[in-house]
Coordinates of all heavy atoms in Angstrom, one line a residue:
L49 N -4.4 18.9 -4.7 CA -3.5 19.9 -5.0 C -2.8 19.7 -6.4 O -2.7 20.6 -7.3 CB -2.4 20.1 -4.0 CG -2.8 20.9 -2.8 CD1 -1.7 20.7 -1.7 CD2 -2.9 22.3 -3.1
L50 N -2.4 18.4 -6.6 CA -1.8 18.0 -7.9 C -2.8 18.0 -9.0 O -2.4 18.1 -10.2 CB -1.2 16.7 -7.8 CG 0.1 16.7 -6.9 CD1 0.6 15.3 -6.7 CD2 1.2 17.5 -7.6
D51 N -4.1 18.1 -8.7 CA -5.1 18.2 -9.7 C -5.6 19.7 -9.8 O -6.6 19.9 -10.4 CB -6.3 17.3 -9.3 CG -7.4 17.1 -10.5 OD1 -6.9 17.1 -11.6 OD2 -8.6 17.1 -10.2
N52 N -4.8 20.6 -9.3 CA -5.0 21.9 -9.3 C -6.4 22.5 -8.8 O -7.0 23.4 -9.2 CB -4.9 22.5 -10.8 CG -3.5 22.3 -11.3 OD1 -2.5 22.6 -10.6 ND2 -3.4 21.7 -12.5
Q53 N -6.8 21.8 -7.7 CA -8.0 22.2 -7.0 C -7.7 23.4 -6.1 O -6.6 23.6 -5.7 CB -8.6 21.1 -6.1 CG -9.0 19.9 -6.9 CD -10.3 20.1 -7.7 OE1 -11.2 20.7 -7.3 NE2 -10.2 19.6 -9.0
T54 N -8.7 24.2 -5.8 CA -8.5 25.3 -4.9 C -8.3 24.9 -3.5 O -8.9 23.8 -3.1 CB -9.6 26.3 -5.0 OG1 -10.8 25.8 -4.6 CG2 -9.8 26.8 -6.5
Y55 N -7.7 25.7 -2.6 CA -7.6 25.4 -1.2 C -9.0 25.3 -0.6 O -9.2 24.3 0.2 CB -6.9 26.6 -0.5 CG -5.4 26.4 -0.4 CD1 -4.7 25.8 -1.4 CD2 -4.7 26.9 0.6 CE1 -3.3 25.7 -1.4 CE2 -3.3 26.8 0.7 CZ -2.6 26.1 -0.3 OH -1.3 26.0 -0.2
E56 N -9.9 26.1 -0.9 CA -11.3 26.0 -0.3 C -11.9 24.7 -0.6 O -12.5 24.0 0.2 CB -12.2 27.2 -0.8 CG -11.7 28.5 -0.4 CD -10.6 29.1 -1.2 OE1 -10.3 28.7 -2.4 OE2 -9.8 30.0 -0.6
K57 N -11.8 24.2 -1.9 CA -12.4 22.9 -2.3 C -11.7 21.8 -1.6 O -12.3 20.8 -1.1 CB -12.3 22.7 -3.8 CG -13.3 23.5 -4.6 CD -13.2 23.2 -6.1 CE -14.1 24.0 -6.8 NZ -13.9 23.8 -8.3
E58 N -10.4 21.9 -1.4 CA -9.6 20.8 -0.7 C -10.0 20.8 0.7 O -10.2 19.6 1.3 CB -8.1 21.1 -0.9 CG -7.7 20.9 -2.3 CD -6.2 21.3 -2.5 OE1 -5.4 20.7 -1.7 OE2 -5.9 22.0 -3.4
I59 N -10.1 21.9 1.4 CA -10.5 21.9 2.8 C -11.9 21.3 3.0 O -12.1 20.5 3.9 CB -10.4 23.4 3.4 CG1 -8.9 23.7 3.5 CG2 -11.1 23.4 4.8 CD1 -8.7 25.2 3.9
E60 N -12.8 21.7 2.1 CA -14.1 21.2 2.2 C -14.2 19.7 1.9 O -14.9 18.9 2.6 CB -15.0 21.9 1.0 CG -16.4 21.4 1.0 CD -17.1 22.1 -0.2 OE1 -16.9 23.3 -0.4 OE2 -17.9 21.5 -0.8
K61 N -13.4 19.2 0.9 CA -13.4 17.8 0.6 C -12.7 16.9 1.6 O -13.1 15.7 1.8 CB -12.9 17.5 -0.8 CG -13.7 18.0 -1.9 CD -13.1 17.8 -3.3 CE -13.9 18.3 -4.4 NZ -13.3 18.1 -5.7
T62 N -11.7 17.4 2.1 CA -10.8 16.6 3.0 C -11.0 16.8 4.5 O -10.5 16.1 5.3 CB -9.3 16.8 2.7 OG1 -8.9 18.1 2.9 CG2 -9.0 16.4 1.3
K63 N -11.6 18.0 4.9 CA -11.7 18.4 6.2 C -10.4 18.6 6.9 O -10.2 18.5 8.1 CB -12.6 17.4 7.1 CG -13.9 17.1 6.5 CD -14.8 18.2 6.4 CE -16.1 17.8 5.9 NZ -16.8 18.7 5.0
I64 N -9.4 18.9 6.1 CA -8.0 19.1 6.6 C -7.9 20.5 7.1 O -8.5 21.5 6.5 CB -7.0 18.8 5.4 CG1 -5.6 18.7 6.0 CG2 -7.1 19.8 4.3 CD1 -4.6 18.1 4.9
S65 N -7.0 20.8 8.0 CA -6.8 22.2 8.5 C -6.0 23.0 7.5 O -5.2 22.4 6.7 CB -6.0 22.2 9.8 OG -4.7 21.8 9.7
S66 N -6.2 24.3 7.4 CA -5.4 25.1 6.5 C -3.9 25.0 6.8 O -3.1 25.0 5.8 CB -5.9 26.5 6.6 OG -5.7 27.0 7.9
T67 N -3.5 24.8 8.0 CA -2.1 24.7 8.3 C -1.5 23.4 7.7 O -0.4 23.4 7.1 CB -1.9 24.6 9.9 OG1 -2.4 25.8 10.4 CG2 -0.5 24.4 10.3
T68 N -2.2 22.3 7.9 CA -1.8 21.0 7.3 C -1.8 21.1 5.8 O -0.9 20.6 5.1 CB -2.6 19.9 7.8 OG1 -2.6 19.8 9.2 CG2 -2.1 18.5 7.3
L69 N -2.8 21.7 5.2 CA -2.9 21.8 3.7 C -1.7 22.7 3.2 O -1.1 22.3 2.2 CB -4.2 22.5 3.4 CG -4.4 22.7 1.9 CD1 -4.4 21.4 1.1 CD2 -5.8 23.4 1.7
S70 N -1.4 23.7 4.0 CA -0.2 24.5 3.6 C 1.1 23.7 3.6 O 1.9 23.8 2.7 CB -0.1 25.7 4.5 OG 1.0 26.5 4.2
R71 N 1.2 22.8 4.6 CA 2.4 22.0 4.7 C 2.4 21.0 3.6 O 3.5 20.8 3.0 CB 2.4 21.2 6.1 CG 3.6 20.4 6.2 CD 3.6 19.5 7.5 NE 4.8 18.8 7.6 CZ 5.1 17.6 6.9 NH1 4.3 17.2 6.0 NH2 6.2 17.0 7.2

Side-chain angles (χ1 to χ4, degrees):
L49 278 169
L50 288 167
D51 193 35
N52 297 313
Q53 298 290 320
T54 65
Y55 270 34
E56 293 79 21
K57 285 184 183 176
E58 292 177 50
I59 290 170
E60 179 183 319
K61 289 180 183 179
T62 62
K63 308 297 185 219
I64 196 170
S65 73
S66 58
T67 302
T68 302
L69 181 58
S70 178
R71 183 183 182 284

